[in-house]
Amino acid sequence: MHLLRVLCQVRLDKLLECQGVGSKKRAKRLLQTGQVSIDGEIVRQGSRNCDSGLQAIRIAGQLVKEHAETYYLVHKPIGVVTAVSDSQHPTVIDLVAPEERPEGLYPVGRLDRDTAGLVLLTTNGPLGFQLLHPRYHVTKTYLVTVNGPLLADAPDFFASGVRFHDGTVCQPAQLEILSSQPFSSQARVTLKEGKFHQVKKMFLAYGVKVTGLTRTAFAGLVLEDSLQAGAYRPLTASEQAVIKTFLK
């Protein structure tokens, strides 16, 4: 085998090609004969996603040199758009210092311009696709302020699957009432899907309007109080371990 070179793709079959193993037939043979492992687990599927910066990948016993994808946790402020570029508004990418902004950095999913909170930025395209795909049921949590009361029946209303006015039915969601007043209430809602304006529409279906919305958790990542709006940081080792679980 040639000397291992830097990872250029995240699919395992593409990784093998980048490592100079020879033909596609030889790469397939390496997989079929159990000579490729990720974190000690023999892997035979070339479509498996991988990241040598997060995982120990061995090909015929040789450890692939690290090439870490970039992962940032960002506290998006209100007024900033969740996009790579925008001609009218600042973006979440603009929040990252130019010298720490690698090519290909993009936000996983989106938050409305008037919604604040946790956004994951990464250069790992396939991982982002998996985190957004409905079949993975990635958990998202929001702190919500509404313009009316949240009564004792609200948690059951959300748990039974909210129906929108157009007939769309949401998956069951968990609602925790934090405070309830006639003209302003707060709650924490956790869901596993991402329909357009879903949180706002769910509360409208209940009979109140969302006046404040902040995403506090996404895919096992949690937005801590110490990270100010507009700030960002790399994922910690424990957070990277969480992300690894989605590299399947």
Side-chain angles (χ1 to χ4, degrees):
M1 180 182 295
H2 297 179
L3 292 177
L4 297 179
R5 298 193 299 274
V6 174
L7 172 61
C8 64
Q9 296 287 338
V10 293
R11 276 180 58 109
L12 189 54
D13 52 6
K14 296 298 183 183
L15 168 64
L16 295 179
E17 294 178 22
C18 292
Q19 301 311 305
V21 301
S23 66
K24 290 184 178 180
K25 183 176 181 181
R26 171 161 167 73
K28 185 176 181 180
R29 188 182 307 117
L30 285 169
L31 288 164
Q32 291 176 338
T33 56
Q35 296 186 64
V36 182
S37 68
I38 299 178
D39 289 336
E41 172 195 357
I42 300 298
V43 179
R44 303 178 191 274
Q45 294 77 35
S47 60
R48 172 81 172 263
N49 289 326
C50 59
D51 181 345
S52 60
L54 296 175
Q55 299 165 300
I57 304 169
R58 293 183 182 274
I59 302 173
Q62 295 189 39
L63 183 66
V64 174
K65 291 180 179 179
E66 178 177 334
H67 173 71
E69 298 283 358
T70 298
Y71 302 94
Y72 289 136
L73 191 155
V74 178
H75 187 167
K76 185 188 95 64
I78 293 174
V80 172
V81 296
T82 311
V84 173
S85 62
D86 189 276
S87 60
Q88 296 181 317
H89 306 285
T91 74
V92 288
I93 302 299
D94 295 330
L95 298 175
V96 179
E99 65 272 15
E100 296 183 324
R101 194 186 304 166
E103 184 178 353
L105 189 67
Y106 79 102
V108 177
R110 66 183 298 275
L111 292 179
D112 296 336
R113 189 159 61 92
D114 60 354
T115 300
L118 190 159
V119 173
L120 175 64
L121 301 183
T122 185
T123 53
N124 191 328
L127 173 63
F129 172 80
Q130 291 193 212
L131 289 173
L132 297 176
H133 199 288
R135 74 170 176 265
Y136 292 104
H137 304 296
V138 174
T139 299
K140 311 165 189 70
T141 301
Y142 297 84
L143 179 64
V144 188
T145 302
V146 297
N147 68 347
L150 294 172
L151 305 180
D153 65 342
D156 288 339
F157 181 83
F158 278 73
S160 63
V162 176
R163 180 184 294 273
F164 295 160
H165 297 303
D166 65 1
T168 301
V169 179
C170 300
Q171 295 178 11
Q174 179 182 350
L175 178 73
E176 177 188 0
I177 300 174
L178 302 178
S179 66
S180 182
Q181 301 294 331
F183 302 105
S184 181
S185 302
Q186 275 202 328
R188 183 177 294 110
V189 61
T190 301
L191 57 152
K192 295 184 177 181
E193 56 184 348
K195 292 181 171 63
F196 185 64
H197 292 323
Q198 179 169 348
V199 175
K200 296 176 181 178
K201 290 180 178 179
M202 291 169 79
F203 281 93
L204 278 177
Y206 180 74
V208 293
K209 181 180 179 180
V210 171
T211 57
L213 187 59
T214 300
R215 184 160 66 189
T216 58
F218 171 70
L221 305 175
V222 177
L223 181 66
E224 66 270 28
D225 294 337
S226 59
L227 190 67
Q228 299 297 313
Y232 68 97
R233 61 168 177 77
L235 297 192
T236 65
S238 59
E239 288 168 337
Q240 290 187 18
V242 171
I243 288 298
K244 282 174 63 174
T245 65
F246 295 98
L247 289 167
K248 301 295 183 183

